[in-house]
């Protein structure tokens, strides 16, 4: 009886590592569709990559279809081995960095959506400075909702996140970066658009439908009145939320700079700024325990060199 052929013989190629990283992303996202935004790949491309990996390994890694996504026993083994492999590669890069003058490896950043406005262009400057200081480091950037950024950092799917934290986590370090002004908006077609500000009351707002956003989730409201708002729709991504508000059927919260950068000042009107306006504080967050200390340190040093001087590290 002949021996069973090994799943992978010889050396791992770059393409093998690419396929394994995609597989890891799919597993941690919980499925192909959920992984599209995090991997910045189309569903069909992800499916092809996983099929290629299964052919390469000679085993079925996951079940996908109407029943949902789930790992096979072999898939769970491959996922665990992938984590060990990628961690070993990170440790190798760190050891190499310490023994040479260069910095090598990968830096995976996650940014909250629409955060790169004109008021925080220093993040772009930090990327420029980091790349000049560590030109051999491969950078990957993923855009997610604010909560998803925090989750990705906690799960070590990314190395550094820049986002609004719903709460502080003892497992994470944080560096304050900048603030943004959030306001309550209505669209041109909404009954309140042409109504005098002085005639709009907290009680009157309860008659209208609102779009739920992260700060309108139970327990996260920044004003007691918000607990009584009729959250009739859900859109935790700002572009989707703006679309619903523009329809004239909903009220909702948006960053002031987002409305300005999209040229929507004439189509969206802020309501009761002094009562319901608030500021979001963006921070860079990263795990206290990581295998990429040197790479992260260089990027944070770049952020520190270009960020406003008034903020502090926590």
């Amino acid at each position: 009886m002949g021996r069973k052929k090994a799943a992978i013989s010889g050396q791992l190629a770059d393409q093998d590592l690419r396929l394994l990283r995609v597989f890891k992303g799919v597993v941690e996202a919980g499925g192909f569709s959920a992984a599209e935004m995090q991997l910045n790949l189309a569903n069909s491309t992800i499916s092809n990559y996983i099929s290629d990996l299964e052919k390469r390994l000679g085993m079925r890694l996951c079940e996908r279809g109407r029943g949902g996504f789930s790992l096979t026993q072999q898939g769970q083994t491959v996922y665990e081995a992938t984590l060990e492999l990628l961690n070993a590669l990170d440790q190798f890069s760190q050891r190499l960095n310490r023994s040479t003058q260069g910095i090598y490896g990968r830096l995976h950043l996650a940014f909250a959506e629409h955060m790169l406005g004109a008021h925080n262009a220093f993040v772009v400057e930090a990327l420029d400075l980091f790349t000049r200081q560590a030109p051999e480091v491969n950078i990957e950037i993923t855009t997610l909702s604010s909560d998803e950024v925090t989750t990705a950092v906690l799960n070590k799917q990314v190395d550094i996140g820049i986002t609004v934290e719903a709460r502080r986590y003892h497992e994470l370090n944080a560096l304050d970066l900048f603030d943004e002004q959030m306001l309550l908006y209505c669209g041109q077609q909404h009954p309140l658009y042409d109504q005098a500000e002085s005639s709009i009351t907290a009680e009157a707002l309860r008659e209208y439908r609102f779009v739920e956003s992260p700060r309108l989730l139970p327990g996260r409201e920044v004003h007691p009145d918000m607990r009584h708002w009729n959250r009739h729709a859900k859109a935790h991504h700002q572009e989707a939320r703006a679309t619903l508000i523009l329809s004239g059927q909903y009220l909702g919260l948006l960053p002031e700079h987002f409305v300005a950068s999209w040229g929507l000042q004439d189509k969206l009107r802020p309501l009761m700024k002094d009562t319901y306006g608030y500021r979001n504080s963006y921070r860079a967050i990263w795990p206290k325990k990581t295998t990429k200390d040197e790479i992260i340190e260089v990027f944070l040093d770049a952020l520190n060199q270009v960020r406003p001087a008034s903020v502090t590290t926590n």
Side-chain angles (χ1 to χ4, degrees):
M1 180 180 296
R3 293 183 179 180
K4 183 177 179 181
K5 182 180 177 181
I8 294 181
S9 58
Q11 296 181 343
L12 283 170
D14 289 343
Q15 179 62 11
D16 294 321
L17 293 175
R18 169 66 170 164
L19 296 178
L20 289 171
R21 291 184 191 279
V22 171
F23 175 61
K24 173 178 175 290
V26 170
V27 174
E28 293 174 348
F32 289 20
S33 297
E36 287 185 72
M37 181 173 293
Q38 295 184 24
L39 296 175
N40 196 25
L41 295 171
N43 192 298
S44 59
T45 302
I46 295 173
S47 180
N48 289 336
Y49 280 164
I50 299 302
S51 296
D52 289 346
L53 181 60
E54 289 178 328
K55 292 175 184 176
R56 179 85 169 100
L57 298 175
M59 60 182 70
R60 187 163 181 80
L61 301 176
C62 56
E63 303 296 340
R64 55 268 198 190
R66 293 183 179 179
F69 175 86
S70 63
L71 286 178
T72 63
Q73 185 175 355
Q74 290 176 318
Q76 182 64 37
T77 299
V78 171
Y79 173 66
E80 293 171 359
T82 298
L83 294 180
E84 294 176 4
L85 171 62
L86 297 180
N87 183 60
L89 289 173
D90 288 339
Q91 291 180 350
F92 171 82
S93 296
Q94 291 301 308
R95 186 169 182 179
L96 186 63
N97 292 340
R98 288 191 293 268
S99 64
T100 67
Q101 296 300 314
I103 299 176
Y104 303 87
R106 293 167 56 89
L107 177 65
H108 192 172
L109 304 171
F111 291 159
E113 54 167 349
H114 301 302
M115 56 151 281
L116 293 177
H119 66 293
N120 53 44
F122 69 89
V123 178
V124 177
E125 296 175 16
L127 287 168
D128 172 49
L129 182 58
F130 174 81
T131 302
R132 286 189 278 113
Q133 293 178 337
E136 299 302 322
V137 174
N138 295 315
I139 297 178
E140 180 177 353
I141 294 178
T142 301
T143 302
L144 302 167
S145 69
S146 294
D147 286 349
E148 289 171 337
V149 171
T150 303
T151 300
V153 176
L154 286 168
N155 293 337
K156 297 187 177 180
Q157 297 169 258
V158 301
D159 303 310
I160 301 175
I162 297 182
T163 187
V164 178
E165 288 183 288
R167 66 181 181 88
R168 294 296 182 92
Y169 293 85
H170 71 274
E171 307 99 316
L172 302 179
N173 292 312
L175 177 71
D176 290 334
L177 295 179
F178 59 88
D179 291 343
E180 70 177 4
Q181 181 67 38
M182 298 291 295
L183 298 174
L184 176 65
Y185 285 94
C186 71
Q188 268 184 324
Q189 307 305 316
H190 195 277
L192 294 179
Y193 189 85
D194 294 318
Q195 191 167 325
E197 179 81 9
S198 59
S199 66
I200 301 175
T201 64
E203 291 73 20
L205 290 181
R206 296 185 189 184
E207 301 177 10
Y208 300 102
R209 291 177 289 192
F210 285 78
V211 185
E212 181 187 88
S213 55
R215 294 307 291 270
L216 290 185
L217 289 170
R220 292 193 188 179
E221 302 94 339
V222 296
H223 192 284
D225 291 349
M226 296 178 178
R227 300 170 190 165
H228 306 291
W229 288 354
N230 177 20
R231 289 169 283 196
H232 196 268
K234 179 186 295 186
H236 288 195
H237 288 268
Q238 292 169 4
E239 187 173 354
R241 198 181 319 146
T243 300
L244 286 168
I245 299 171
L246 285 166
S247 74
Q249 297 298 320
Y250 301 91
L251 303 175
L253 297 163
L254 289 171
E256 188 175 28
H257 74 87
F258 170 90
V259 174
S261 65
W262 282 63
L264 298 175
Q265 299 96 318
D266 294 334
K267 296 182 178 180
L268 293 174
R269 173 193 169 184
L271 302 174
M272 303 179 74
K273 291 183 179 182
D274 294 338
T275 303
Y276 301 121
Y278 64 94
R279 299 191 74 79
N280 275 331
S281 294
Y282 276 82
R283 300 180 179 92
I285 54 175
W286 68 98
K288 290 182 178 179
K289 295 182 179 180
T290 174
T291 60
K292 296 185 178 181
D293 290 332
E294 187 164 2
I295 293 176
I296 289 176
E297 183 179 342
V298 173
F299 183 76
L300 292 174
D301 182 64
L303 275 178
N304 267 314
Q305 289 187 52
V306 298
R307 73 186 176 123
S310 60
V311 291
T312 57
T313 305
N314 295 294

